[in-house]
Amino acid sequence: MNWPRTILDGIAMSALFNAVVVLGFTLWPQEYSVMFPKEIKEAASPYVNGTNVKKMKLFLFGLYFAMFLYWSISAHAAGTRGFWPLFWTGYTEMTFVSASDFLILDCWLPLKIRNRIKGAEHCEAWKRKEWLLRLAIPEHVLGWTFLVCPAAGLIVAGIAGLFA
């Protein structure tokens, strides 16, 4: 595993991920409510356009695909070989994305965007404590750590393994 390359790739993709998510939110603010806590999701649902939800999800899946492809090519180019080194490279880089997502998109951004989601402006779930307890902490401590990051490691190892 090439630690300097892994750390730099993790930081670069964290910046790209957050920029693309914020861009997506700018394009489809109402549709992003489908990923928010239940109270916000229900309050905003009358204003959500199903076609735009599909566009937003396709946009995000494209981002993930590009990240995995970049990480795989980067790890291969850096000389990382073997399943476990490639797995831990992908896992570590996705952990950087998770940490930046938590800090930027879950701790800072909700306070700035709540007035952009029609119907959900006055929901209790926008309060920092509620947001963190209902969404951010479970998502990043459990979901990302035990599901998303290992999946990223497997995908990176699988794609990079094709180059060997």
Side-chain angles (χ1 to χ4, degrees), residues 115-128:
N115 293 328
R116 302 242 353 227
I117 307 293
K118 294 176 190 162
E121 299 90 342
H122 303 293
C123 290
E124 289 292 314
W126 286 116
K127 293 184 178 175
R128 185 180 306 271

Side-chain angles (χ1 to χ4, degrees), residues 16-126:
L16 177 67
F17 177 83
N18 285 294
V20 169
V21 169
V22 169
L23 172 65
F25 180 80
T26 303
L27 295 172
W28 305 289
Q30 197 68 29
E31 286 65 29
Y32 265 72
S33 67
V34 301
M35 297 187 291
F36 292 164
K38 185 178 179 182
E39 180 186 2
I40 295 170
K41 192 183 308 184
E42 289 173 355
S45 67
Y47 305 99
V48 173
N49 178 326
T51 303
N52 285 344
V53 170
K54 290 177 185 173
K55 288 179 187 177
M56 182 251 328
K57 287 183 178 182
L58 186 61
F59 184 73
L60 292 177
F61 287 131
L63 167 64
Y64 280 117
F65 177 75
M67 285 174 29
F68 296 142
L69 188 61
Y70 172 80
W71 285 337
S72 301
I73 293 169
S74 177
H76 181 76
T80 305
R81 301 289 185 271
F83 175 80
W84 288 111
L86 288 166
F87 172 84
W88 288 114
T89 297
Y91 187 98
T92 303
E93 291 167 343
M94 188 56 93
T95 301
F96 274 91
V97 172
S98 175
S100 70
D101 179 336
F102 177 77
L103 293 172
I104 296 170
L105 301 177
D106 288 327
C107 291
W108 175 74
L109 194 62
L111 299 173
K112 306 290 183 196
I113 65 171
R114 71 174 170 213
N115 293 328
R116 302 242 353 227
I117 307 293
K118 294 176 190 162
E121 299 90 342
H122 303 293
C123 290
E124 289 292 314
W126 286 116

